[in-house]
PDB file of all heavy atoms in Angstrom:
ATOM      1  N   LYS V1441       2.916 162.783  57.177  1.00  0.00           N
ATOM      2  CA  LYS V1441       2.966 163.356  55.831  1.00  0.00           C
ATOM      3  C   LYS V1441       4.257 162.971  55.123  1.00  0.00           C
ATOM      4  O   LYS V1441       4.256 162.681  53.910  1.00  0.00           O
ATOM      5  CB  LYS V1441       2.838 164.884  55.918  1.00  0.00           C
ATOM      6  CG  LYS V1441       2.732 165.565  54.565  1.00  0.00           C
ATOM      7  CD  LYS V1441       2.497 167.065  54.731  1.00  0.00           C
ATOM      8  CE  LYS V1441       2.367 167.737  53.374  1.00  0.00           C
ATOM      9  NZ  LYS V1441       2.126 169.203  53.517  1.00  0.00           N
ATOM     10  N   TYR V1442       5.363 162.970  55.863  1.00  0.00           N
ATOM     11  CA  TYR V1442       6.651 162.592  55.266  1.00  0.00           C
ATOM     12  C   TYR V1442       6.645 161.117  54.879  1.00  0.00           C
ATOM     13  O   TYR V1442       7.044 160.756  53.767  1.00  0.00           O
ATOM     14  CB  TYR V1442       7.787 162.879  56.250  1.00  0.00           C
ATOM     15  CG  TYR V1442       9.133 162.399  55.769  1.00  0.00           C
ATOM     16  CD1 TYR V1442       9.852 163.117  54.826  1.00  0.00           C
ATOM     17  CD2 TYR V1442       9.686 161.211  56.254  1.00  0.00           C
ATOM     18  CE1 TYR V1442      11.082 162.674  54.369  1.00  0.00           C
ATOM     19  CE2 TYR V1442      10.909 160.762  55.812  1.00  0.00           C
ATOM     20  CZ  TYR V1442      11.611 161.501  54.869  1.00  0.00           C
ATOM     21  OH  TYR V1442      12.832 161.050  54.418  1.00  0.00           O
ATOM     22  N   LEU V1443       6.199 160.249  55.768  1.00  0.00           N
ATOM     23  CA  LEU V1443       6.180 158.816  55.473  1.00  0.00           C
ATOM     24  C   LEU V1443       5.291 158.511  54.269  1.00  0.00           C
ATOM     25  O   LEU V1443       5.648 157.702  53.414  1.00  0.00           O
ATOM     26  CB  LEU V1443       5.708 158.035  56.699  1.00  0.00           C
ATOM     27  CG  LEU V1443       6.632 158.059  57.918  1.00  0.00           C
ATOM     28  CD1 LEU V1443       5.950 157.406  59.115  1.00  0.00           C
ATOM     29  CD2 LEU V1443       7.955 157.363  57.610  1.00  0.00           C
ATOM     30  N   SER V1444       4.141 159.176  54.202  1.00  0.00           N
ATOM     31  CA  SER V1444       3.242 158.966  53.067  1.00  0.00           C
ATOM     32  C   SER V1444       3.864 159.458  51.770  1.00  0.00           C
ATOM     33  O   SER V1444       3.734 158.813  50.728  1.00  0.00           O
ATOM     34  CB  SER V1444       1.905 159.678  53.320  1.00  0.00           C
ATOM     35  OG  SER V1444       1.248 159.143  54.449  1.00  0.00           O
ATOM     36  N   SER V1445       4.568 160.591  51.831  1.00  0.00           N
ATOM     37  CA  SER V1445       5.206 161.129  50.626  1.00  0.00           C
ATOM     38  C   SER V1445       6.324 160.228  50.126  1.00  0.00           C
ATOM     39  O   SER V1445       6.658 160.248  48.939  1.00  0.00           O
ATOM     40  CB  SER V1445       5.761 162.531  50.905  1.00  0.00           C
ATOM     41  OG  SER V1445       6.905 162.472  51.766  1.00  0.00           O
ATOM     42  N   ARG V1446       6.878 159.424  51.012  1.00  0.00           N
ATOM     43  CA  ARG V1446       7.950 158.502  50.633  1.00  0.00           C
ATOM     44  C   ARG V1446       7.407 157.152  50.196  1.00  0.00           C
ATOM     45  O   ARG V1446       8.170 156.236  49.904  1.00  0.00           O
ATOM     46  CB  ARG V1446       8.915 158.321  51.803  1.00  0.00           C
ATOM     47  CG  ARG V1446       9.623 159.591  52.238  1.00  0.00           C
ATOM     48  CD  ARG V1446      10.476 160.152  51.121  1.00  0.00           C
ATOM     49  NE  ARG V1446      11.600 159.264  50.820  1.00  0.00           N
ATOM     50  CZ  ARG V1446      12.325 159.324  49.706  1.00  0.00           C
ATOM     51  NH1 ARG V1446      12.013 160.184  48.751  1.00  0.00           N
ATOM     52  NH2 ARG V1446      13.327 158.495  49.530  1.00  0.00           N
ATOM     53  N   GLY V1447       6.075 157.031  50.141  1.00  0.00           N
ATOM     54  CA  GLY V1447       5.472 155.831  49.580  1.00  0.00           C
ATOM     55  C   GLY V1447       5.024 154.788  50.585  1.00  0.00           C
ATOM     56  O   GLY V1447       4.595 153.696  50.181  1.00  0.00           O
ATOM     57  N   MET V1448       5.122 155.063  51.883  1.00  0.00           N
ATOM     58  CA  MET V1448       4.677 154.073  52.863  1.00  0.00           C
ATOM     59  C   MET V1448       3.159 153.951  52.829  1.00  0.00           C
ATOM     60  O   MET V1448       2.441 154.931  52.824  1.00  0.00           O
ATOM     61  CB  MET V1448       5.141 154.453  54.271  1.00  0.00           C
ATOM     62  CG  MET V1448       4.650 153.465  55.342  1.00  0.00           C
ATOM     63  SD  MET V1448       5.080 153.933  57.036  1.00  0.00           S
ATOM     64  CE  MET V1448       6.805 153.439  57.087  1.00  0.00           C
ATOM     65  N   ARG V1449       2.692 152.703  52.812  1.00  0.00           N
ATOM     66  CA  ARG V1449       1.268 152.418  52.850  1.00  0.00           C
ATOM     67  C   ARG V1449       1.020 151.231  53.778  1.00  0.00           C
ATOM     68  O   ARG V1449       1.950 150.519  54.132  1.00  0.00           O
ATOM     69  CB  ARG V1449       0.735 152.117  51.433  1.00  0.00           C
ATOM     70  CG  ARG V1449       0.761 153.337  50.520  1.00  0.00           C
ATOM     71  CD  ARG V1449       0.308 153.006  49.124  1.00  0.00           C
ATOM     72  NE  ARG V1449      -1.080 152.573  49.062  1.00  0.00           N
ATOM     73  CZ  ARG V1449      -2.119 153.389  49.000  1.00  0.00           C
ATOM     74  NH1 ARG V1449      -1.936 154.698  49.006  1.00  0.00           N
ATOM     75  NH2 ARG V1449      -3.351 152.912  48.921  1.00  0.00           N
ATOM     76  N   LYS V1450      -0.226 151.032  54.160  1.00  0.00           N
ATOM     77  CA  LYS V1450      -0.603 149.946  55.053  1.00  0.00           C
ATOM     78  C   LYS V1450      -1.291 148.846  54.261  1.00  0.00           C
ATOM     79  O   LYS V1450      -2.097 149.115  53.379  1.00  0.00           O
ATOM     80  CB  LYS V1450      -1.534 150.465  56.150  1.00  0.00           C
ATOM     81  CG  LYS V1450      -1.955 149.430  57.178  1.00  0.00           C
ATOM     82  CD  LYS V1450      -2.834 150.071  58.235  1.00  0.00           C
ATOM     83  CE  LYS V1450      -3.308 149.042  59.250  1.00  0.00           C
ATOM     84  NZ  LYS V1450      -4.209 148.025  58.646  1.00  0.00           N
ATOM     85  N   LEU V1451      -0.933 147.589  54.575  1.00  0.00           N
ATOM     86  CA  LEU V1451      -1.619 146.467  53.956  1.00  0.00           C
ATOM     87  C   LEU V1451      -3.015 146.347  54.550  1.00  0.00           C
ATOM     88  O   LEU V1451      -3.177 146.382  55.770  1.00  0.00           O
ATOM     89  CB  LEU V1451      -0.843 145.161  54.169  1.00  0.00           C
ATOM     90  CG  LEU V1451       0.204 144.812  53.089  1.00  0.00           C
ATOM     91  CD1 LEU V1451       1.287 145.878  53.013  1.00  0.00           C
ATOM     92  CD2 LEU V1451       0.805 143.447  53.352  1.00  0.00           C
ATOM     93  N   VAL V1452      -3.986 146.228  53.691  1.00  0.00           N
ATOM     94  CA  VAL V1452      -5.379 146.185  54.121  1.00  0.00           C
ATOM     95  C   VAL V1452      -5.603 145.004  55.066  1.00  0.00           C
ATOM     96  O   VAL V1452      -5.238 143.867  54.773  1.00  0.00           O
ATOM     97  CB  VAL V1452      -6.327 146.070  52.910  1.00  0.00           C
ATOM     98  CG1 VAL V1452      -7.774 145.896  53.370  1.00  0.00           C
ATOM     99  CG2 VAL V1452      -6.201 147.302  52.019  1.00  0.00           C
ATOM    100  N   GLY V1453      -6.191 145.298  56.234  1.00  0.00           N
ATOM    101  CA  GLY V1453      -6.548 144.256  57.179  1.00  0.00           C
ATOM    102  C   GLY V1453      -5.406 143.691  58.000  1.00  0.00           C
ATOM    103  O   GLY V1453      -5.586 142.701  58.708  1.00  0.00           O
ATOM    104  N   GLN V1454      -4.206 144.300  57.922  1.00  0.00           N
ATOM    105  CA  GLN V1454      -3.058 143.780  58.659  1.00  0.00           C
ATOM    106  C   GLN V1454      -2.305 144.916  59.337  1.00  0.00           C
ATOM    107  O   GLN V1454      -2.337 146.069  58.881  1.00  0.00           O
ATOM    108  CB  GLN V1454      -2.096 143.037  57.716  1.00  0.00           C
ATOM    109  CG  GLN V1454      -2.694 141.831  57.023  1.00  0.00           C
ATOM    110  CD  GLN V1454      -1.645 141.072  56.221  1.00  0.00           C
ATOM    111  OE1 GLN V1454      -0.473 141.002  56.594  1.00  0.00           O
ATOM    112  NE2 GLN V1454      -2.067 140.486  55.118  1.00  0.00           N
ATOM    113  N   ASP V1455      -1.584 144.589  60.418  1.00  0.00           N
ATOM    114  CA  ASP V1455      -0.695 145.557  61.069  1.00  0.00           C
ATOM    115  C   ASP V1455       0.665 145.506  60.389  1.00  0.00           C
ATOM    116  O   ASP V1455       1.696 145.255  61.019  1.00  0.00           O
ATOM    117  CB  ASP V1455      -0.563 145.238  62.562  1.00  0.00           C
ATOM    118  CG  ASP V1455      -1.825 145.565  63.323  1.00  0.00           C
ATOM    119  OD1 ASP V1455      -2.634 146.369  62.824  1.00  0.00           O
ATOM    120  OD2 ASP V1455      -2.017 145.008  64.421  1.00  0.00           O
ATOM    121  N   VAL V1456       0.657 145.736  59.093  1.00  0.00           N
ATOM    122  CA  VAL V1456       1.859 145.656  58.264  1.00  0.00           C
ATOM    123  C   VAL V1456       1.902 146.883  57.365  1.00  0.00           C
ATOM    124  O   VAL V1456       0.877 147.287  56.798  1.00  0.00           O
ATOM    125  CB  VAL V1456       1.860 144.380  57.387  1.00  0.00           C
ATOM    126  CG1 VAL V1456       3.117 144.328  56.514  1.00  0.00           C
ATOM    127  CG2 VAL V1456       1.755 143.136  58.253  1.00  0.00           C
ATOM    128  N   VAL V1457       3.080 147.498  57.239  1.00  0.00           N
ATOM    129  CA  VAL V1457       3.249 148.613  56.315  1.00  0.00           C
ATOM    130  C   VAL V1457       4.146 148.182  55.161  1.00  0.00           C
ATOM    131  O   VAL V1457       5.030 147.340  55.319  1.00  0.00           O
ATOM    132  CB  VAL V1457       3.836 149.859  57.012  1.00  0.00           C
ATOM    133  CG1 VAL V1457       2.851 150.439  57.994  1.00  0.00           C
ATOM    134  CG2 VAL V1457       5.155 149.538  57.697  1.00  0.00           C
ATOM    135  N   SER V1458       3.883 148.755  54.004  1.00  0.00           N
ATOM    136  CA  SER V1458       4.661 148.491  52.792  1.00  0.00           C
ATOM    137  C   SER V1458       5.430 149.744  52.417  1.00  0.00           C
ATOM    138  O   SER V1458       4.894 150.862  52.497  1.00  0.00           O
ATOM    139  CB  SER V1458       3.726 148.084  51.647  1.00  0.00           C
ATOM    140  OG  SER V1458       4.400 148.139  50.403  1.00  0.00           O
ATOM    141  N   MET V1459       6.696 149.575  52.026  1.00  0.00           N
ATOM    142  CA  MET V1459       7.553 150.710  51.684  1.00  0.00           C
ATOM    143  C   MET V1459       8.306 150.406  50.397  1.00  0.00           C
ATOM    144  O   MET V1459       8.822 149.298  50.229  1.00  0.00           O
ATOM    145  CB  MET V1459       8.543 150.974  52.821  1.00  0.00           C
ATOM    146  CG  MET V1459       7.863 151.268  54.152  1.00  0.00           C
ATOM    147  SD  MET V1459       8.854 150.786  55.611  1.00  0.00           S
ATOM    148  CE  MET V1459       8.634 149.002  55.596  1.00  0.00           C
ATOM    149  N   PRO V1460       8.381 151.345  49.460  1.00  0.00           N
ATOM    150  CA  PRO V1460       9.063 151.088  48.185  1.00  0.00           C
ATOM    151  C   PRO V1460      10.580 151.029  48.348  1.00  0.00           C
ATOM    152  O   PRO V1460      11.162 151.828  49.082  1.00  0.00           O
ATOM    153  CB  PRO V1460       8.652 152.274  47.319  1.00  0.00           C
ATOM    154  CG  PRO V1460       8.379 153.376  48.298  1.00  0.00           C
ATOM    155  CD  PRO V1460       7.813 152.702  49.512  1.00  0.00           C
TER     156      PRO V1460
END
Side-chain angles (χ1 to χ4, degrees):
K1441 186 175 181 180
Y1442 175 78
L1443 294 172
S1444 297
S1445 71
R1446 298 298 293 163
M1448 178 184 282
R1449 292 177 64 84
K1450 182 178 178 294
L1451 270 61
V1452 175
Q1454 299 186 34
D1455 288 339
V1456 179
V1457 292
S1458 166
M1459 301 151 284

